Structure formats: C-alpha cells, structure tokens
Amino acid sequence: MRGPGGTPNGADYPVSRPRTPTPRGWQRMLSGRRLEILDPSPLDVELDDIAHGIARVARWNGQTTGVYPFSVAQHSCLVEAIAAELSPGIDARCRLALLLHDASEYVVGDVVTPLKTALGERFKEIENRIQAAIFIAFGLPGELPPETHRLVKRADLCA
C-alpha cells in the first residue's frame, strides 16, 4: 500500500535505500598498523610486518620440492647472495634493495606470473605502489635505478 506521497511507507518523502558499503582498502598488520593497499604510505611500513609476512609466504604457491615450502624470505636472501657473487662490491643500499625486491608480497602474496598476467595492469600497479612505499620507507628511491633493477632481475632469474 502506498502513502499520500506515493511511497511505500506512507510518508511524503522517498524511502532511503540501504547503501552499498565501500570496499575496505586496507589491511591490519601484526604491528597494529593499517596499510592502505591501494594508496600505501611509507609511514605504515614496518620491518617486522614484512619479515613475518614473507617468511610465511611460500614461493610458487608451495609447489616446490622438500619437506618445507621455500619462502619468499628465503628467496630474497638467496637473490641478495647471488647478486653479491655476480657483482662483487655492491654497496649496502643495493643489497637492501635486493633483500626487499619482493617485499610487497607480505601484502599481496607470491602471485605466479601467469595469474599476474591474467589479472592485468591494475594488479601490477597495486603491487608497484606497495613496493615503492616499502623502498621509500627504508630510504631507497621508489623506483630503483636501472643498473640496480637489472641486477635484481638477473639475480632473481638465477635464483
């Protein structure tokens, strides 16, 4: 039955419809910090959160041999060690960049390349923003210099 204003509740004003909530864009970290995933701030990046997260994220979705999964943290240490062999004398900032090269995976996980490709540019953009915030939080440029980037890629492929 309609009211005098033509509304179902009999009022002269329309009934408000329930609002669709805005999707949550942040994740609470173990440190208690809230990391805005779509717009991350270097101020919300904590080393303990990264270390804890990547130590528990399995590389290649756990599809590795051995009793235990090979973690992103182990992979990061291996990449840094390989780069030190490939390019003796690299400085501490470069070594830090190598250790942090997959740190964004403490938030997004180790998404395998075929799935990243299927998800497209939006996923890559989100991952790159998180990675840039991490680099900046540790005093590195948000985008690595080309020579550092090449070394990271080379050592990463070797690993």
Side-chain angles (χ1 to χ4, degrees):
M1 181 167 169
R2 301 235 175 232
T7 60
N9 65 353
D12 288 330
Y13 51 87
V15 176
S16 64
R17 296 186 181 185
R19 292 186 178 160
T20 305
T22 305
R24 190 177 90 182
W26 56 269
Q27 179 178 346
R28 177 84 55 205
M29 300 297 165
L30 280 176
S31 65
R33 290 213 186 260
R34 227 170 76 160
L35 182 73
E36 290 289 339
I37 294 171
L38 302 179
D39 188 23
S41 168
L43 299 174
D44 293 325
V45 173
E46 291 286 336
L47 181 59
D48 287 348
D49 292 335
I50 294 170
H52 181 85
I54 65 173
R56 292 175 179 233
V57 172
R59 291 281 292 165
W60 305 293
N61 293 324
Q63 300 304 304
T64 56
T65 58
V67 177
Y68 301 103
F70 185 62
S71 74
V72 172
Q74 290 169 303
H75 165 76
S76 297
C77 291
L78 179 60
V79 167
E80 188 269 339
I82 290 169
E85 291 292 321
L86 292 172
S87 185
I90 54 175
D91 67 11
R93 289 172 53 85
C94 184
R95 290 180 98 123
L96 178 60
L98 287 152
L99 287 169
L100 293 173
H101 82 280
D102 278 341
S104 62
E105 294 179 8
Y106 90 107
V107 178
V108 299
D110 184 35
V111 178
V112 294
T113 302
L115 182 54
K116 279 184 186 180
T117 302
L119 293 173
E121 285 302 309
R122 182 71 174 133
F123 179 81
K124 192 68 176 160
E125 177 187 314
I126 291 167
E127 186 178 39
N128 287 342
R129 283 184 184 179
I130 294 167
Q131 191 64 52
I134 292 166
F135 282 153
I136 292 166
F138 291 96
L140 298 169
E143 190 172 319
L144 297 178
E147 63 278 1
T148 304
H149 181 75
R150 281 191 298 274
L151 180 59
V152 168
K153 286 296 179 190
R154 187 171 168 212
D156 195 23
L157 285 173
C158 289

